[in-house]
Amino acid sequence: MRIAVIGTGYVGLVTGTCFAEMGNDVTCVDIDEKKLAQLDQGIVPIHEPGLDDLLKRNRASGRIRFSNDLNSALLDASIVFIAVGTPPNEDGSADLSHVLKVAKEIGECLVHPVVVVDKSTVPVGTADQVREAIALALADRGEAIEFDVVSNPEFLKEGDAIKDFMTPDRIVIGSEVESSREMMRELYTPFSRNHDKIQYMGVRDAEMTKYAANAMLATKISFMNEIALMCDHYGVDVENVRKGIGSDPRIGYSFIYPGSGYGGSCFPKDVRALINMAGEVGVEPRIFQAVEDRNRSQKLVLVDKIVAHFGEDLSSLSFTVWGLAFKPETDDVREAPAITLISALVARNARIRVYDPQASESTRLALAPEQLSSVDFLDSPYQDIQQSSALIIMTEWKMFRQPDFKLLGSLKEKLIFDGRNMFEPALVHNHGLEYIGIGRRSRPLPR
């Protein structure tokens, strides 16, 4: 099939590349000339494992190309994906200006019937607005070209997006039009050969499904973080609690790892959007607001523990921070707990040394210039470790799971603050170091 994907951000680039991998002819459209130049050279502007090789292979075969010419991309496309950003407005609502601008441009360029697919995460009712924008643009041209608008939300995890797209656990297609459903089935059948993973539903049902999925996962995280805080006060080891409840199949082990809160481009934005959507229809968003409030305060829990240990004035101290990205296998630091922590420590005059295998450059862009003067970016995790008072772990990269405790023994205070509960406290103590986690019992109970 011939496909146009508008937007070459995270979702658009993964979507276009994976469709090309299955033999489709894909044109990815963007207005960012610099990004297009990079992609034309095979340079992927984001870190996503496996994406580089996949893109290079499909560029070489001619199945994917990049362009700033929407008109040309629509000439022979039968399906057009809208995959542009929906950043949050100040009130938490999703900014649909990019989506609706693209919809208008589709109406201005359309020359034959197509199926337009909302791939961006959008509030309930957005497909109606997209349909109206396209119809108005066609009417202005005096054209009556048939089209349909489908909702096809993505369920991609950063760091595992290629696998998620190529072997999805479900494919949600929101459409009431049988011909559109059949076209989407033809497109997605190669991705569901093992068994039928396609779930048809109404357009609005699909739009809500995406938000509900992310909000549920965010709720599990905030719930467990609140349990962890209680464990801190009651002398309970939250790791035992996690295993105890996770073994219940009704709960499961996924997303119940306590830590310093969630970040990224999805959970924070989508929870806030749901809060706004609920308010618009007079529903009090008690659960969503509690999830948001807990996550906001959770990002400062480790800061509170550091201040409790050293005091408010940290001017004589320096800290090594391992991990900057909001999760492993990405360079994304949007709303990352590490950025919140670094900002809070710098505000207390601490010196910060940071290491992340992928996210240093994005962190440089995320921090304010006056903060950067207090932050050193390291080339290796153990660089100048002897100059730091303590180690702080903020991202659970695999390379941090079995550290060189002998080298960590040169920390001035011989202390680890674990914002992801990666280590067993007893193991750290056996190496002569002190350990402070979140909801972890620092010293084992006597036998």
Side-chain angles (χ1 to χ4, degrees), residues 29 34 58 61 90 106 110 112 131 165 172 201 207 251 254 256 322 356-357 385 391 403:
V29 181
K34 181 179 178 181
N58 285 282
S61 70
E90 288 187 9
I106 291 173
L110 206 58
H112 60 82
R131 185 178 289 106
F165 200 103
V172 172
M201 58 185 70
E207 290 171 333
I251 298 172
S254 297
I256 60 169
W322 283 1
D356 188 288
I385 196 73
L391 170 67

Side-chain angles (χ1 to χ4, degrees), residues 170-173 181 184-189 192 195-200:
R170 79 281 208 193
I171 299 165
V172 172
I173 296 174
R181 289 185 171 193
M184 295 298 286
R185 172 176 286 282
E186 179 182 346
L187 177 63
Y188 274 111
T189 293
S192 60
H195 63 276
D196 191 358
K197 301 173 183 177
I198 297 176
Q199 298 179 12
Y200 293 114

Side-chain angles (χ1 to χ4, degrees), residues 153 166 171 211 244 249 302 332 353 360 383:
M166 300 300 284
I171 299 165
Y211 277 106
L302 215 58
D332 193 344
R353 297 179 176 87
S360 292
Q383 182 182 338

Side-chain angles (χ1 to χ4, degrees), residues 13-40:
L13 192 54
V14 171
T15 297
T17 304
C18 289
F19 279 140
E21 177 70 5
M22 286 298 191
N24 297 288
D25 186 278
V26 180
T27 301
C28 292
V29 181
D30 208 298
I31 60 173
D32 187 332
E33 297 286 354
K34 181 179 178 181
K35 185 189 292 185
L36 290 174
Q38 288 180 315
L39 291 169
D40 274 333

Side-chain angles (χ1 to χ4, degrees), residues 350-386:
R351 187 77 197 174
I352 310 297
R353 297 179 176 87
V354 300
Y355 177 79
D356 188 288
Q358 294 294 337
S360 292
E361 289 306 313
S362 50
T363 299
R364 283 189 172 94
L365 297 174
L367 293 174
E370 61 272 18
Q371 294 174 321
L372 286 171
S373 62
S374 298
V375 178
D376 300 317
F377 290 85
L378 306 179
D379 296 322
S380 66
Y382 302 98
Q383 182 182 338
D384 299 328
I385 196 73
Q386 72 281 357

Side-chain angles (χ1 to χ4, degrees), residues 43-83:
I43 301 172
V44 178
I46 59 174
H47 175 72
E48 180 60 43
L51 183 57
D52 292 63
D53 292 340
L54 216 59
L55 181 61
K56 288 175 183 176
R57 180 163 67 245
N58 285 282
R59 277 187 67 254
S61 70
R63 289 194 296 269
I64 189 168
R65 65 193 64 85
F66 301 94
S67 172
N68 63 354
D69 188 350
L70 178 61
N71 190 65
S72 296
L74 294 181
L75 284 177
D76 56 2
S78 55
I79 302 179
V80 182
F81 284 86
I82 299 177

